[in-house]
Amino acid sequence: MAKLLKILPGPCYASHKVIILLLTGITFTFHYCYWNPKSQHVKSLLAGTRTAVGESHTNYLQPDALTPSRRDVLVLTPWLAPVVWEGTFDIDLLNAQFKLQNATIGLTVFAVKNYMSFLELFLRSAEKYFMAGHRVNYYVFTDQPELVPQLPLPGGRRVIVLRTQSHQRWQDISMQRMGAISHGARQRFLKEVDYLVCADVDMEFRDHVGVEILSSLFGTIHPDFMAVSRYSFSNERRPESQAYIPEDEGDFYYIGAFFGGSVAEVYRLTEACHQAIMIDKANHLEAIWQEESHLNKYLLYHKPTKLLSPEYMCDHDLLQDMQHRKKLGLSNIVRRIRIFALLKNKEVKSNNASQKVQSTDGR
């Protein structure tokens, strides 16, 4: 090579010398980076892998195809939707995957009339347990915007107050939610959030409720109907109602206090329920459990892609049963109480807004 360079003209000799030096430098860099154990990221890129810059290694137990995560409960529906229980998911793994979506979650809640008394506890407990570490928009529907508590929130989490009208009857207050959520989804939620969770205000978050609940469309199994046949479900049985479900149909009975999914799917659900409620109203009908009856009708024919166990809506009766079984040394399928439905105080009862819940307890 040296002899060849010497016989070349001056300008050519100089340019070729530069090229050879560059090639030598590139070759040396390639070999150093490839064989240096500290340059795993470079090797992965050279190998054509998709490792992201700054991506960390995650340790977790390998799934075992022959060992289900829980043997004492249903963890998969016949239409292949997972049922979420404690012990069926790895939240660290889910959080790592979810952060790749760079998504924002919306949480809708209605605080109307005397139900405003529940709002502060709802928001404070949600800040402690709901979607910790993720961006959240709390959409508070209320007829009393001036009474919404001002809570200190970290970056990426905010309270958005939306004025809504009140009604004299608690049934009308309950049913208006579907129309309000549908309207909100069409007007702003589709632009502002990726997932929408819809909750009752008279409840408290008591343990972690995170991205494990999120799916295209999810519903929550009612604790009072966890282990009964479909013939015992409290569905609407009058054929003339839009919420009608025959006695020989039904997968689960879903509580109306906690449901959600992608904004698009929640919009379809709430709009369909709102239209069905309006048709019933025009025909002077009201489903037995108002919007909850219409929710169950919709989820029967539009199967949810994920179901939440009663861990996500524990009531007073279920809590007492858990404590009783613990005293007797018996096992219990509900291992953690994540959301607790609060009992109504006298002030709310006097407003005739708690009859539905009281009747539900006695069903």
Side-chain angles (χ1 to χ4, degrees):
M1 177 65 72
K3 292 182 180 180
L4 177 61
L5 291 174
K6 287 181 180 180
I7 65 174
L8 290 173
C12 293
Y13 172 80
S15 61
H16 281 74
K17 186 175 182 180
V18 172
I19 293 173
I20 291 173
L21 289 173
L22 288 173
L23 291 174
T24 302
I26 292 171
T27 303
F28 174 79
T29 302
F30 173 84
H31 282 281
Y32 175 80
C33 292
Y34 189 82
W35 295 110
N36 188 342
K38 295 182 180 180
S39 57
Q40 296 299 320
H41 176 62
V42 175
K43 281 201 260 187
S44 66
L45 292 176
L46 292 172
T49 61
R50 301 177 63 182
T51 304
V53 176
E55 186 174 325
S56 60
H57 181 68
T58 304
N59 286 318
Y60 57 91
L61 294 176
Q62 179 184 352
D64 189 339
L66 301 180
T67 305
S69 54
R70 291 277 297 265
R71 295 179 180 273
D72 57 336
V73 293
L74 177 71
V75 297
L76 194 67
T77 69
W79 61 92
L80 302 182
V83 185
V84 184
W85 297 87
E86 173 66 11
T88 62
F89 61 91
D90 184 326
I91 189 56
D92 294 329
L93 181 59
L94 287 173
N95 277 330
Q97 291 296 301
F98 187 82
K99 285 185 181 296
L100 299 177
Q101 299 183 35
N102 194 33
T104 301
I105 305 100
L107 176 60
T108 68
V109 62
F110 285 73
V112 179
K113 301 182 81 170
N114 288 351
Y115 274 85
M116 177 61 74
S117 62
F118 294 103
L119 182 59
E120 184 168 355
L121 176 60
F122 177 92
L123 291 174
R124 287 191 182 279
S125 65
E127 266 305 285
K128 187 174 182 180
Y129 294 116
F130 182 75
M131 301 293 166
H134 299 284
R135 294 198 304 270
V136 173
N137 285 358
Y138 296 106
Y139 295 108
V140 178
F141 289 84
T142 182
D143 59 341
Q144 306 162 79
E146 69 282 358
L147 297 183
V148 175
Q150 301 296 315
L151 303 181
L153 301 176
R157 298 172 76 96
R158 57 181 180 148
V159 172
I160 300 170
V161 180
L162 303 174
R163 180 179 284 277
T164 189
Q165 67 182 110
S166 181
H167 296 275
Q168 185 63 35
R169 298 172 65 246
W170 65 264
Q171 294 93 336
D172 293 324
I173 293 174
S174 181
M175 287 189 293
Q176 77 168 337
R177 293 196 313 159
M178 291 299 185
I181 295 172
S182 171
H183 179 77
R186 186 172 60 252
Q187 294 297 316
R188 63 182 303 168
F189 302 157
L190 282 166
K191 305 171 187 176
E192 297 177 355
V193 296
D194 302 281
Y195 294 93
L196 199 62
V197 179
C198 307
D200 279 1
V201 70
D202 53 328
M203 64 188 208
E204 178 186 2
F205 294 90
R206 293 193 175 180
D207 207 330
H208 164 88
V209 177
V211 299
E212 77 279 357
I213 73 173
L214 298 178
S215 181
S216 178
L217 181 63
F218 73 82
T220 304
I221 299 173
H222 197 301
D224 293 347
F225 299 92
M226 180 169 55
V228 300
S229 72
R230 59 174 56 144
Y231 297 96
S232 299
F233 290 171
S234 190
N235 289 320
E236 174 58 59
R237 300 305 188 189
R238 294 172 295 174
E240 56 269 27
S241 171
Q242 296 295 306
Y244 167 67
I245 296 177
E247 289 190 354
D248 60 348
E249 291 190 46
D251 306 305
F252 303 91
Y253 188 83
Y254 303 98
I255 195 166
F258 202 62
F259 64 92
S262 69
V263 183
E265 286 299 327
V266 173
Y267 169 71
R268 294 186 185 97
L269 182 155
T270 53
E271 179 65 15
C273 290
H274 173 64
Q275 294 298 331
I277 289 170
M278 298 309 293
I279 292 174
D280 271 5
K281 188 174 182 179
N283 293 325
H284 307 288
L285 291 171
E286 187 175 282
I288 181 173
W289 296 115
Q290 293 77 44
E291 84 288 354
E292 185 174 273
S293 297
H294 291 279
L295 172 75
N296 274 272
K297 174 67 173 289
Y298 185 90
L299 293 181
L300 173 60
Y301 298 113
H302 304 81
K303 305 293 189 190
T305 52
K306 185 175 286 186
L307 280 70
L308 307 185
S309 70
E311 291 178 359
Y312 293 87
M313 191 51 63
C314 179
D315 59 12
H316 187 259
D317 292 338
L318 181 59
L319 176 60
Q320 286 189 323
D321 179 66
M322 290 173 62
Q323 294 171 340
H324 178 66
R325 292 177 65 85
K326 187 175 181 180
K327 289 180 181 179
L328 296 177
L330 301 175
S331 61
N332 200 311
I333 62 174
V334 177
R335 298 178 181 177
R336 298 177 74 168
I337 298 174
R338 301 180 185 276
I339 300 175
F340 186 75
L342 300 173
L343 292 175
K344 309 297 185 297
N345 56 33
K346 292 182 179 180
E347 181 184 3
V348 175
K349 289 181 179 180
S350 66
N351 194 39
N352 196 31
S354 63
Q355 295 178 18
K356 178 181 177 181
V357 176
Q358 288 192 312
S359 298
T360 302
D361 292 343
R363 285 190 284 189

